[in-house]
Amino acid sequence: MKNVTEYKNYIAGEWVRSRSGQTFENRNPADTDDIVGIFQKSTPGDVDDAIAAAKEAYKKWRLVPAPKRAEIIFRIAARLAKEKERFSRDMTREMGKILKETRGDVQEAIDMSFYMAGEGRRQFGQTTPSELPDKFMMSIRQPIGICGMITPWNFPMAIPSWKIMPALVCGNTVVIKPATDTPLSVYNFIKVMEEEGLAGGVVNIVTGSGKDVGEPLMRHKDIGVISFTGSTEVGRKVSEACASDFRHCHLEMGGKNCILVMDDANVELAVEGAIWGAFGTTGQRCTASSRLIVHKKVIKEFTEKLVERAKSLKVGNGLDESVEMGPAVNESQMQTVLKYMDIGKNKDGAKLLCGGGRLTGPGYDKGYFTMPTIFGEVTPNMTIFREEIFGSVTSITECNSFEEAIEIGNNTVYGLSSSIYTQDVNKAFAAMRDLCTGIFYVNAPTIGTEVHLPFGGTKETGNGHREAGTAALDVFSEWKTIYVDFSGKIQKTQIDS
Ligand code: UN1
């Protein structure tokens, strides 16, 4: 094979091959002739090595003052900014999403890194007066130890940054297993960390399958916290693996997010929002707008305009700047999406308004391209309304009133993101209160969070934790509450006072 780079694992500050001696290929989903790189097919033994390295490094890293840790993180952020274009191109090649979006993904990692660099001088605790004289009390954050991270392919650098940066600034060390579809973006990220002076063993990357790398990582007793983003099915496994010995886990899983379009909405704006929310990242976001709940008074106009816009979307290789939507990330993801298109048409009996299949022909034959697809007359009992599709499919459900829209919006096991299009401030505030999701938007689609507020969801989307914002510090630190009695005598709380 010509000119294909072999990338190694990074363990204890060394770039090393897997003990297995085996590798796997990373191919471009828009052009499967394009091999992006060769990566290590790692084993449970490699995971053990990485965890041992992280354990050793933790002894020193936890004692580095947080503002000093933050200086390194700041330098990493600045370097990412310099490498943004190269890393974005690599990401489009391995993941498929269009360049504008991969630039956004790298930018999100830059933002998170600068933000967490700032946390080096914050990480505030509390002090409060004691009920006893000559006694001082406070709470401080302490690192947990070794953090295991299992990250998805849809935000190949942003989501790893949401986990790695808060973990590091809190004083933890890290072992990360990137998704097998997108190891290069995490490699690029870790390489910058190495070059900007992060000491050996503080971060470690082990590439490979869920079975050989993810499972041993989540089961290892030295891992203090696992942070996982991915399917609900795997999230349940992580939760069970950690439960018996009470190790922490942070889970960020599925979504079935809704946009409510009210009768007083700016319909043009709602259409633009729905197009971006549903087909941005080829619909492969946990926050994707997969349910459009539209008031009967505007449903005709909304549907016509939406279908017209969807039909005009340019689908293709994301490296072409004029393309608006890339391929599915891999063949099995494409098959899942095609399966749901088929269910919508044949089992659910929804009305196919546009799309509904695979794109073939010139420019499409070497990739996993699916059509932007919209189903109408979708009802809450249908599979396409209930299950997360994670692809270029969205659905329209009619509602008769604001109250009914809220009820339909909440009719899902997930609770990540929701939004409303309305000009009525009262409806906007009522929806803000009543939609059961972790994220909510007014007059914007369900995608587009910023790094300095919490990200995550209710119900089966998560397990009560949040990433991003200062909430991320809660995942990667533990409170220590400290009492200092300087009275020089025994004082008994709740008794002497
Ligand atoms: C995801 O949907 O998987 O809010 C992450 C957004 C991005 C992150 C999405 N900032 O759409």
Side-chain angles (χ1 to χ4, degrees), residues 240-256:
E240 284 165 4
C242 296
S244 64
D245 46 3
F246 314 109
R247 288 175 304 113
H248 298 190
C249 66
H250 154 254
L251 308 172
E252 170 52 43
M253 301 169 287
K256 195 70 188 173

Side-chain angles (χ1 to χ4, degrees), residues 370-421:
T370 57
M371 299 172 184
T373 297
I374 304 172
F375 282 103
E377 296 173 20
V378 173
T379 53
N381 59 326
M382 292 182 184
T383 304
I384 55 168
F385 179 96
R386 306 176 77 82
E387 296 183 12
E388 182 174 47
I389 299 174
F390 229 68
S392 62
V393 182
T394 193
S395 65
I396 302 177
T397 302
E398 185 177 297
C399 67
N400 295 300
S401 65
F402 170 76
E403 290 73 21
E404 195 193 11
I406 297 281
E407 197 185 308
I408 298 171
N410 282 333
N411 187 350
T412 166
V413 297
Y414 296 114
L416 184 53
S417 184
S418 59
S419 98
I420 188 168
Y421 280 82

Side-chain angles (χ1 to χ4, degrees), residues 89-290:
R89 285 181 176 273
D90 280 351
M91 194 187 292
T92 293
R93 269 180 77 205
E94 71 173 347
M95 190 270 169
K97 65 183 175 182
I98 61 173
L99 266 176
K100 269 198 194 85
E101 290 193 43
T102 52
R103 289 182 190 123
D105 193 309
V106 177
Q107 186 58 47
E108 201 161 340
I110 297 166
D111 296 343
M112 181 52 94
S113 303
F114 277 128
Y115 171 53
M116 281 299 152
E119 282 308 311
R121 287 185 188 269
R122 288 189 291 261
Q123 296 184 41
F124 300 126
Q126 304 102 31
T127 62
T128 181
S130 168
E131 64 190 41
L132 291 165
D134 298 331
K135 187 178 167 191
F136 176 82
M137 49 204 258
M138 64 181 165
S139 63
I140 60 167
R141 289 186 186 276
Q142 294 231 293
I144 293 178
I146 309 159
C147 305
M149 298 170 183
I150 302 175
T151 53
W153 45 260
N154 66 337
F155 278 81
M157 194 179 284
I159 292 181
S161 81
W162 295 1
K163 301 184 193 303
I164 296 175
M165 291 321 193
L168 291 182
V169 82
C170 287
N172 304 280
T173 56
V174 170
V175 177
I176 185 166
K177 175 216 159 331
T180 44
D181 285 306
T182 55
L184 180 56
S185 296
V186 183
Y187 168 89
N188 283 337
F189 196 13
I190 304 283
K191 188 90 178 94
V192 161
M193 294 184 200
E194 178 203 23
E195 288 170 9
E196 293 307 321
L198 210 58
V202 173
V203 285
N204 304 271
I205 175 175
V206 183
T207 55
S209 69
K211 184 174 152 290
D212 292 329
V213 181
E215 294 227 7
L217 185 63
M218 70 175 86
R219 294 192 191 290
H220 203 291
K221 304 299 174 209
D222 286 340
I223 293 286
V225 54
I226 282 274
S227 180
F228 166 80
T229 300
S231 71
T232 303
E233 186 194 345
V234 177
R236 190 164 283 120
K237 275 194 192 174
V238 176
S239 182
E240 284 165 4
C242 296
S244 64
D245 46 3
F246 314 109
R247 288 175 304 113
H248 298 190
C249 66
H250 154 254
L251 308 172
E252 170 52 43
M253 301 169 287
K256 195 70 188 173
N257 315 289
C258 63
I259 296 182
L260 312 186
V261 183
M262 292 296 95
D263 49 350
D264 57 16
N266 174 339
V267 173
E268 307 266 334
L269 188 67
V271 166
E272 280 313 304
I275 288 287
W276 172 228
F279 302 119
T281 325
T282 318
Q284 301 172 121
R285 293 197 191 207
C286 340
T287 47
S289 309
S290 52

